[in-house]
Amino acid sequence: GIRPFWQQSPDLLVELLNKHGLALVCQLHTCAVVEGSEFKYQTSSKLEDHKQSFTELVEETSQILTRVKAGGFLNSHSGSDRFRLDEAVDYLLHALEVEKRAGIKITHETHRQRIFFNPFQTEDLLRHPALQGKPLKLNADLSHWCVVCERVFDPENEPRDDWWPDFLNLLSQHVEFCHCRCGWAEAPQISDPSAPEHRRDLDLHLGWWRHIWRAQHARGGAECWVEPEYGPPPYMPCLPHSGKPVADLEGVVETAKGQLEAAFEREFPKSAQ
Protein backbone atom coordinates (compact mmCIF):
# COMPACT_ATOMS: atom_id res chain seq x y z
CA GLY A 1 0.00 0.00 0.00
CA ILE A 2 0.93 3.66 -0.26
CA ARG A 3 -0.24 4.76 3.17
CA PRO A 4 3.30 5.53 4.44
CA PHE A 5 3.83 7.52 1.22
CA TRP A 6 0.72 9.64 1.62
CA GLN A 7 1.51 10.25 5.27
CA GLN A 8 5.08 11.36 4.52
CA SER A 9 4.61 13.04 1.13
CA PRO A 10 0.91 13.76 0.51
CA ASP A 11 1.62 16.75 -1.72
CA LEU A 12 3.95 14.70 -3.94
CA LEU A 13 1.39 11.89 -4.20
CA VAL A 14 -1.34 14.29 -5.32
CA GLU A 15 1.07 16.01 -7.73
CA LEU A 16 2.01 12.72 -9.40
CA LEU A 17 -1.57 11.50 -9.65
CA ASN A 18 -2.69 14.78 -11.23
CA LYS A 19 0.34 14.92 -13.53
CA HIS A 20 -0.52 11.53 -15.01
CA GLY A 21 -4.29 11.91 -14.92
CA LEU A 22 -4.76 9.00 -12.53
CA ALA A 23 -7.70 8.40 -10.22
CA LEU A 24 -7.14 6.99 -6.75
CA VAL A 25 -8.88 4.11 -4.98
CA CYS A 26 -7.93 4.21 -1.30
CA GLN A 27 -8.00 0.90 0.58
CA LEU A 28 -9.20 1.03 4.20
CA HIS A 29 -8.98 -1.73 6.82
CA THR A 30 -10.85 -0.93 10.01
CA CYS A 31 -8.89 -1.71 13.18
CA ALA A 32 -5.74 -2.62 11.25
CA VAL A 33 -2.35 -1.38 12.45
CA VAL A 34 1.23 -1.42 11.25
CA GLU A 35 3.80 -2.16 13.94
CA GLY A 36 7.29 -1.91 12.54
CA SER A 37 7.32 -4.17 9.50
CA GLU A 38 4.31 -6.19 10.69
CA PHE A 39 0.81 -5.54 9.37
CA LYS A 40 -1.87 -6.64 11.82
CA TYR A 41 -5.02 -7.00 9.76
CA GLN A 42 -7.60 -6.76 12.53
CA THR A 43 -6.86 -5.91 16.14
CA SER A 44 -10.38 -5.75 17.61
CA SER A 45 -13.78 -7.36 17.21
CA LYS A 46 -15.63 -4.60 19.10
CA LEU A 47 -18.27 -2.59 17.26
CA GLU A 48 -17.31 0.81 18.66
CA ASP A 49 -13.63 0.27 17.82
CA HIS A 50 -14.49 -0.41 14.18
CA LYS A 51 -16.85 2.58 13.96
CA GLN A 52 -14.18 4.89 15.35
CA SER A 53 -11.51 3.39 13.08
CA PHE A 54 -13.72 3.83 10.00
CA THR A 55 -14.39 7.48 10.86
CA GLU A 56 -10.71 8.23 11.35
CA LEU A 57 -9.63 6.44 8.17
CA VAL A 58 -12.22 8.24 6.06
CA GLU A 59 -11.16 11.60 7.49
CA GLU A 60 -7.50 10.83 6.75
CA THR A 61 -7.97 9.57 3.20
CA SER A 62 -10.49 12.26 2.27
CA GLN A 63 -7.80 14.87 2.69
CA ILE A 64 -5.93 13.22 -0.17
CA LEU A 65 -8.78 12.10 -2.40
CA THR A 66 -10.53 15.46 -2.56
CA ARG A 67 -7.39 16.94 -4.18
CA VAL A 68 -7.14 14.33 -6.95
CA LYS A 69 -8.50 15.86 -10.15
CA ALA A 70 -9.47 12.52 -11.72
CA GLY A 71 -11.37 11.59 -8.56
CA GLY A 72 -11.73 8.10 -7.18
CA PHE A 73 -13.32 6.55 -4.11
CA LEU A 74 -12.65 4.58 -0.92
CA ASN A 75 -12.88 0.80 -0.59
CA SER A 76 -13.27 -0.55 2.92
CA HIS A 77 -12.66 -3.88 4.62
CA SER A 78 -15.39 -3.12 7.13
CA GLY A 79 -16.10 -4.41 10.60
CA SER A 80 -15.70 -7.92 11.92
CA ASP A 81 -17.17 -11.31 11.03
CA ARG A 82 -17.94 -11.66 14.75
CA PHE A 83 -20.60 -8.93 14.66
CA ARG A 84 -24.17 -9.96 15.34
CA LEU A 85 -26.60 -8.88 12.64
CA ASP A 86 -27.80 -5.89 14.69
CA GLU A 87 -24.19 -4.80 15.23
CA ALA A 88 -23.43 -5.07 11.51
CA VAL A 89 -26.49 -2.92 10.76
CA ASP A 90 -25.37 -0.38 13.37
CA TYR A 91 -21.91 -0.24 11.79
CA LEU A 92 -23.27 0.22 8.26
CA LEU A 93 -25.69 2.97 9.27
CA HIS A 94 -22.76 4.76 10.89
CA ALA A 95 -20.63 4.22 7.78
CA LEU A 96 -23.34 5.65 5.54
CA GLU A 97 -23.51 8.79 7.69
CA VAL A 98 -19.72 9.18 7.56
CA GLU A 99 -19.81 8.70 3.79
CA LYS A 100 -22.54 11.33 3.42
CA ARG A 101 -20.57 13.87 5.47
CA ALA A 102 -17.37 13.20 3.52
CA GLY A 103 -19.10 13.48 0.14
CA ILE A 104 -16.97 10.61 -1.23
CA LYS A 105 -18.14 7.25 -2.56
CA ILE A 106 -17.27 4.34 -0.27
CA THR A 107 -17.61 0.68 -1.18
CA HIS A 108 -17.56 -2.15 1.37
CA GLU A 109 -15.75 -5.27 0.24
CA THR A 110 -17.06 -8.82 0.45
CA HIS A 111 -14.03 -10.12 2.29
CA ARG A 112 -13.26 -12.83 4.83
CA GLN A 113 -13.02 -11.74 8.48
CA ARG A 114 -15.34 -8.83 7.72
CA ILE A 115 -19.07 -8.03 7.80
CA PHE A 116 -19.76 -9.31 4.29
CA PHE A 117 -17.74 -12.50 4.70
CA ASN A 118 -20.41 -14.82 3.34
CA PRO A 119 -23.39 -14.51 0.98
CA PHE A 120 -25.97 -15.47 3.60
CA GLN A 121 -25.22 -12.67 6.07
CA THR A 122 -24.82 -10.34 3.09
CA GLU A 123 -28.36 -11.17 1.96
CA ASP A 124 -29.70 -10.64 5.48
CA LEU A 125 -28.07 -7.21 5.54
CA LEU A 126 -29.20 -6.17 2.07
CA ARG A 127 -32.78 -7.12 2.97
CA HIS A 128 -32.72 -5.62 6.47
CA PRO A 129 -35.51 -3.05 6.98
CA ALA A 130 -33.14 -0.48 8.48
CA LEU A 131 -31.00 -0.50 5.33
CA GLN A 132 -33.78 -0.38 2.74
CA GLY A 133 -33.48 2.64 0.48
CA LYS A 134 -29.98 3.38 1.76
CA PRO A 135 -27.17 3.96 -0.77
CA LEU A 136 -25.12 0.99 0.43
CA LYS A 137 -22.36 0.22 -2.08
CA LEU A 138 -20.33 -2.97 -2.27
CA ASN A 139 -17.11 -4.18 -3.81
CA ALA A 140 -17.79 -7.71 -5.03
CA ASP A 141 -14.77 -9.88 -4.31
CA LEU A 142 -16.73 -13.08 -4.73
CA SER A 143 -13.66 -15.33 -4.61
CA HIS A 144 -13.76 -15.13 -0.80
CA TRP A 145 -17.24 -16.63 -0.67
CA CYS A 146 -16.04 -19.64 -2.66
CA VAL A 147 -13.62 -20.45 0.14
CA VAL A 148 -16.04 -19.73 2.97
CA CYS A 149 -18.74 -21.91 1.40
CA GLU A 150 -16.22 -24.37 -0.10
CA ARG A 151 -17.75 -24.28 -3.58
CA VAL A 152 -18.09 -22.15 -6.68
CA PHE A 153 -21.81 -21.51 -6.97
CA ASP A 154 -23.28 -23.36 -9.94
CA PRO A 155 -27.10 -23.41 -9.86
CA GLU A 156 -27.39 -25.02 -13.29
CA ASN A 157 -25.65 -28.17 -12.07
CA GLU A 158 -26.00 -28.04 -8.27
CA PRO A 159 -29.55 -27.98 -6.85
CA ARG A 160 -28.23 -26.73 -3.50
CA ASP A 161 -27.25 -23.47 -5.25
CA ASP A 162 -30.74 -22.70 -6.57
CA TRP A 163 -30.82 -19.57 -4.38
CA TRP A 164 -27.82 -18.01 -6.15
CA PRO A 165 -29.51 -16.36 -9.19
CA ASP A 166 -32.02 -14.40 -7.09
CA PHE A 167 -29.33 -13.42 -4.63
CA LEU A 168 -26.98 -12.33 -7.44
CA ASN A 169 -29.76 -10.07 -8.76
CA LEU A 170 -30.06 -8.48 -5.31
CA LEU A 171 -26.31 -8.18 -4.85
CA SER A 172 -25.79 -6.62 -8.27
CA GLN A 173 -28.01 -3.68 -7.36
CA HIS A 174 -25.40 -2.62 -4.79
CA VAL A 175 -22.09 -3.43 -6.52
CA GLU A 176 -20.03 -0.50 -7.78
CA PHE A 177 -16.60 -2.15 -7.83
CA CYS A 178 -15.40 -5.65 -8.67
CA HIS A 179 -12.24 -7.38 -7.55
CA CYS A 180 -12.19 -9.80 -10.46
CA ARG A 181 -10.08 -12.63 -9.12
CA CYS A 182 -11.18 -16.20 -9.68
CA GLY A 183 -11.32 -18.33 -6.57
CA TRP A 184 -12.18 -21.96 -6.06
CA ALA A 185 -13.47 -24.24 -3.33
CA GLU A 186 -10.18 -24.39 -1.39
CA ALA A 187 -8.57 -20.98 -1.99
CA PRO A 188 -9.42 -17.39 -2.90
CA GLN A 189 -7.11 -17.49 -5.93
CA ILE A 190 -6.54 -20.06 -8.65
CA SER A 191 -2.93 -20.54 -9.65
CA ASP A 192 -3.31 -19.34 -13.25
CA PRO A 193 -6.48 -18.18 -15.05
CA SER A 194 -5.18 -19.68 -18.30
CA ALA A 195 -4.98 -23.20 -16.80
CA PRO A 196 -7.58 -25.56 -18.32
CA GLU A 197 -8.23 -27.26 -14.98
CA HIS A 198 -9.72 -23.98 -13.71
CA ARG A 199 -11.83 -23.23 -16.80
CA ARG A 200 -15.14 -24.15 -15.18
CA ASP A 201 -14.49 -21.99 -12.11
CA LEU A 202 -13.37 -19.10 -14.30
CA ASP A 203 -16.41 -19.32 -16.57
CA LEU A 204 -18.72 -19.19 -13.55
CA HIS A 205 -16.93 -16.12 -12.19
CA LEU A 206 -17.02 -14.42 -15.60
CA GLY A 207 -20.76 -15.01 -15.70
CA TRP A 208 -21.18 -13.34 -12.31
CA TRP A 209 -19.09 -10.33 -13.31
CA ARG A 210 -20.98 -9.89 -16.57
CA HIS A 211 -24.26 -10.05 -14.66
CA ILE A 212 -23.01 -7.28 -12.36
CA TRP A 213 -21.88 -5.15 -15.30
CA ARG A 214 -25.30 -5.49 -16.92
CA ALA A 215 -26.94 -4.34 -13.70
CA GLN A 216 -24.59 -1.34 -13.50
CA HIS A 217 -25.41 -0.45 -17.10
CA ALA A 218 -29.15 -0.78 -16.44
CA ARG A 219 -28.80 1.69 -13.54
CA GLY A 220 -27.30 4.20 -15.94
CA GLY A 221 -23.70 3.72 -14.88
CA ALA A 222 -21.23 5.35 -17.23
CA GLU A 223 -18.29 3.15 -16.21
CA CYS A 224 -17.42 -0.10 -14.45
CA TRP A 225 -14.56 -0.20 -11.99
CA VAL A 226 -12.82 -3.58 -12.08
CA GLU A 227 -9.49 -4.90 -10.88
CA PRO A 228 -7.78 -8.18 -11.87
CA GLU A 229 -6.78 -8.60 -8.25
CA TYR A 230 -4.44 -11.57 -8.39
CA GLY A 231 -1.83 -11.24 -5.68
CA PRO A 232 1.56 -12.54 -4.55
CA PRO A 233 1.99 -15.22 -1.86
CA PRO A 234 0.11 -16.18 0.25
CA TYR A 235 -2.65 -15.60 -2.33
CA MET A 236 -0.44 -17.09 -5.04
CA PRO A 237 0.06 -20.84 -4.35
CA CYS A 238 3.68 -21.83 -3.67
CA LEU A 239 5.73 -24.98 -3.91
CA PRO A 240 6.53 -26.68 -0.59
CA HIS A 241 9.93 -26.17 1.03
CA SER A 242 11.20 -23.63 -1.52
CA GLY A 243 8.23 -21.28 -1.25
CA LYS A 244 8.55 -20.59 -4.97
CA PRO A 245 5.34 -19.27 -6.59
CA VAL A 246 3.78 -21.77 -8.98
CA ALA A 247 3.10 -19.10 -11.63
CA ASP A 248 4.45 -15.73 -12.75
CA LEU A 249 2.27 -13.08 -11.11
CA GLU A 250 2.83 -10.44 -13.80
CA GLY A 251 1.79 -12.93 -16.48
CA VAL A 252 -1.23 -14.02 -14.44
CA VAL A 253 -2.43 -10.41 -14.07
CA GLU A 254 -1.95 -9.73 -17.79
CA THR A 255 -3.90 -12.87 -18.66
CA ALA A 256 -6.72 -11.92 -16.30
CA LYS A 257 -6.79 -8.37 -17.68
CA GLY A 258 -7.16 -9.72 -21.21
CA GLN A 259 -9.93 -12.10 -20.17
CA LEU A 260 -11.85 -9.26 -18.50
CA GLU A 261 -11.46 -6.96 -21.49
CA ALA A 262 -12.69 -9.70 -23.82
CA ALA A 263 -15.69 -10.45 -21.59
CA PHE A 264 -16.58 -6.78 -21.34
CA GLU A 265 -16.31 -6.33 -25.10
CA ARG A 266 -18.64 -9.29 -25.68
CA GLU A 267 -21.14 -7.80 -23.26
CA PHE A 268 -20.84 -4.22 -24.54
CA PRO A 269 -19.47 -4.17 -28.12
CA LYS A 270 -17.79 -0.87 -28.91
CA SER A 271 -20.07 -0.38 -31.88
CA ALA A 272 -23.03 -0.35 -29.48
CA GLN A 273 -21.49 1.94 -26.85
Side-chain angles (χ1 to χ4, degrees):
I2 60 172
R3 188 180 188 196
F5 183 30
W6 84 44
Q7 289 178 326
Q8 297 172 18
S9 307
D11 293 337
L12 178 58
L13 173 61
V14 171
E15 177 187 340
L16 291 172
L17 290 169
N18 290 338
K19 176 181 177 180
H20 296 285
L22 296 175
L24 177 64
V25 179
C26 295
Q27 179 72 46
L28 314 182
H29 304 90
T30 58
C31 289
V33 297
V34 177
E35 295 181 353
S37 60
E38 183 180 3
F39 174 64
K40 295 185 176 181
Y41 178 65
Q42 190 175 162
T43 59
S44 174
S45 62
K46 294 181 173 60
L47 171 62
E48 293 305 319
D49 290 344
H50 282 271
K51 289 167 66 174
Q52 180 179 347
S53 176
F54 181 82
T55 301
E56 293 172 353
L57 289 168
V58 171
E59 290 175 351
E60 177 184 349
T61 52
S62 295
Q63 296 174 22
I64 300 294
L65 191 54
T66 53
R67 298 166 58 195
V68 178
K69 294 178 181 178
F73 58 94
L74 310 181
N75 179 62
S76 179
H77 286 200
S78 282
S80 170
D81 56 5
R82 190 215 63 83
F83 286 178
R84 300 187 309 271
L85 185 65
D86 63 299
E87 291 179 310
V89 171
D90 187 327
Y91 174 92
L92 291 171
L93 290 172
H94 171 78
L96 287 164
E97 284 299 315
V98 173
E99 178 183 7
K100 183 178 180 180
R101 290 198 303 268
I104 294 173
K105 182 172 81 173
I106 302 176
T107 59
H108 301 271
E109 187 169 338
T110 63
H111 201 284
R112 288 169 296 159
Q113 299 191 47
R114 300 295 181 167
I115 287 176
F116 296 106
F117 73 102
N118 74 59
F120 311 114
Q121 173 153 300
T122 298
E123 181 171 13
D124 289 343
L125 288 168
L126 296 182
R127 296 191 187 281
H128 196 281
L131 293 171
Q132 295 309 295
K134 303 291 186 181
L136 180 62
K137 294 171 281 292
L138 299 182
N139 169 14
D141 191 340
L142 305 181
S143 64
H144 290 285
W145 289 350
C146 297
V147 184
V148 171
C149 297
E150 204 172 15
R151 65 189 187 275
V152 180
F153 312 110
D154 185 5
E156 290 189 6
N157 296 296
E158 294 287 350
R160 64 179 175 173
D161 294 333
D162 59 356
W163 54 273
W164 178 255
D166 286 342
F167 171 66
L168 186 59
N169 285 334
L170 173 65
L171 177 73
S172 298
Q173 299 307 311
H174 294 269
V175 174
E176 299 208 6
F177 187 26
C178 279
H179 277 179
C180 294
R181 181 185 61 243
C182 179
W184 64 295
E186 307 302 338
Q189 179 171 307
I190 58 175
S191 57
D192 187 333
S194 68
E197 61 267 30
H198 291 304
R199 188 70 234 184
R200 172 183 170 275
D201 293 335
L202 179 62
D203 284 343
L204 288 167
H205 280 71
L206 285 167
W208 305 340
W209 300 329
R210 292 173 68 179
H211 188 99
I212 289 169
W213 299 339
R214 288 194 295 270
Q216 290 178 308
H217 184 262
R219 294 199 301 270
E223 59 188 7
C224 295
W225 285 82
V226 302
E227 180 180 338
E229 202 210 19
Y230 288 80
Y235 273 82
M236 173 65 74
C238 295
L239 296 173
H241 305 294
S242 69
K244 182 179 179 181
V246 300
D248 172 62
L249 180 59
E250 183 175 350
V252 164
V253 172
E254 282 298 316
T255 296
K257 175 176 177 288
Q259 291 169 338
L260 290 169
E261 290 172 338
F264 192 85
E265 173 63 19
R266 287 195 299 272
E267 196 65 43
F268 303 105
K270 290 181 180 179
S271 59
Q273 293 178 13

